[in-house]
């Protein structure tokens, strides 16, 4: 069964006073909601994010990497994500150590022209498979609003890894997995209907 959720991102950031889950205090605190390849984060466990721009909320960070032919190169693909009650945010990067293509034997030995190219891609569509249901969510700038229906499905996801598909702005698709510990953490993140407090 395919379900489509098209929600406006205007509702993503709530300005005003709302409450944060009372259980948030028991989780490790992360000082920023930003994703990045150089960040050391507590992956796959509930955390309290305290961000100067987005406020305080309960979330879980996830990371997966694999090697595949993508964006016309054989690359190491990394999919980072941040799952909160309001939104799901992704960072999709591909790094290619292009050391062998077009180089002579001596160039390869010296590594003189070896370089790592890292690029990120804008994701505009997300597919999440929960049990036998597939949720399709459209977004902007790699960010997707979580509907009530999707939140309930994530909260009740069966044990084990969950499959996702990301569609980039250029039309490329990347299939990845969300680890079983992150899936387990969804039960906490999506338990409370309100788990966000704005900065105002």
């Amino acid at each position: 069964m395919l379900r489509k959720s098209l929600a406006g991102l205007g509702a993503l950031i709530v300005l005003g006073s709302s409450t944060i889950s009372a259980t948030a205090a028991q989780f490790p605190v992360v000082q920023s909601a930003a994703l990045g390849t150089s960040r050391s984060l507590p992956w796959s466990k509930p955390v309290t994010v305290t961000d100067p721009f987005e406020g305080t909320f309960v979330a879980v960070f996830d990371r997966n990497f694999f090697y595949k032919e993508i964006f016309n190169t054989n690359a190491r693909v990394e999919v980072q994500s941040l799952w909160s009650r309001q939104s799901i945010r992704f960072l999709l990067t591909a790094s290619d150590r292009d050391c062998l293509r077009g180089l002579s034997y001596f160039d390869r030995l010296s590594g003189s022209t070896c370089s790592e190219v890292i690029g990120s891609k804008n994701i505009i569509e997300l597919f999440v498979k929960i049990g036998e249901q597939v949720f399709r969510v459209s977004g902007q700038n790699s960010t997707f609003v979580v509907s009530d229906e999707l939140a309930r499905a994530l909260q009740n996801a069966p044990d084990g890894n969950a499959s996702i598909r990301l569609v980039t702005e250029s039309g490329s698709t990347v299939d990845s997995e969300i680890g079983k510990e992150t899936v387990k953490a969804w039960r906490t993140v999506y338990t409370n209907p309100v788990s966000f407090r704005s900065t105002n």
Side-chain angles (χ1 to χ4, degrees):
M1 175 182 292
L2 179 67
R3 298 178 183 266
K4 187 169 184 179
S5 173
L6 295 173
L9 289 178
L12 177 62
I13 298 176
V14 179
L15 299 177
S17 61
S18 25
T19 58
I20 186 171
S21 165
T23 60
Q26 67 186 337
F27 303 131
V29 176
V30 177
Q31 296 297 331
S32 172
L35 296 169
T37 55
S38 61
R39 294 201 68 193
S40 177
L41 294 166
W43 303 104
S44 302
K45 59 180 68 174
V47 296
T48 299
V49 177
T50 302
D51 187 277
F53 301 99
E54 300 180 35
T56 301
F57 55 95
V58 177
V60 57
F61 290 91
D62 186 79
R63 177 175 62 174
N64 186 31
F65 68 88
F66 47 90
Y67 293 87
K68 69 171 290 184
E69 183 76 24
I70 186 173
F71 312 132
N72 300 317
T73 185
N74 189 16
R76 179 186 186 275
V77 179
E78 182 167 333
V79 179
Q80 293 186 16
S81 53
L82 174 62
W83 301 75
S84 72
R85 178 59 187 86
Q86 283 65 41
S87 68
I88 306 164
R89 183 178 305 158
F90 287 93
L91 176 65
L92 171 63
T93 61
S95 57
D96 174 25
R97 192 166 291 281
D98 194 1
C99 300
L100 299 178
R101 244 177 277 168
L103 301 182
S104 70
Y105 173 77
F106 295 104
D107 288 333
R108 291 197 296 270
L109 285 180
S110 67
S112 58
T113 59
C114 180
S115 63
E116 186 175 55
V117 179
I118 298 177
S120 62
K121 301 297 177 181
N122 182 30
I123 303 163
I124 60 169
E125 201 161 31
L126 165 67
F127 293 82
V128 185
K129 187 172 184 182
I130 308 295
E132 296 303 312
Q133 290 185 310
V134 176
F135 291 83
R136 177 184 178 185
V137 188
S138 294
Q140 297 175 8
N141 301 319
S142 300
T143 302
F144 303 86
V145 173
V146 178
S147 67
D148 291 343
E149 183 182 22
L150 178 56
R152 284 191 295 271
L154 294 172
Q155 180 188 355
N156 296 303
D159 291 338
N161 296 346
S163 297
I164 62 170
R165 172 169 289 175
L166 308 175
V167 182
T168 70
E169 196 171 32
S170 64
S172 298
T173 61
V174 175
D175 290 344
S176 185
E177 285 189 333
I178 301 300
K180 62 182 180 180
E181 293 303 314
T182 299
V183 171
K184 183 178 178 181
W186 283 347
R187 297 170 192 167
T188 299
V189 172
Y190 297 104
T191 292
N192 300 305
V194 177
S195 58
F196 176 85
R197 182 179 64 211
S198 73
T199 55
N200 292 340

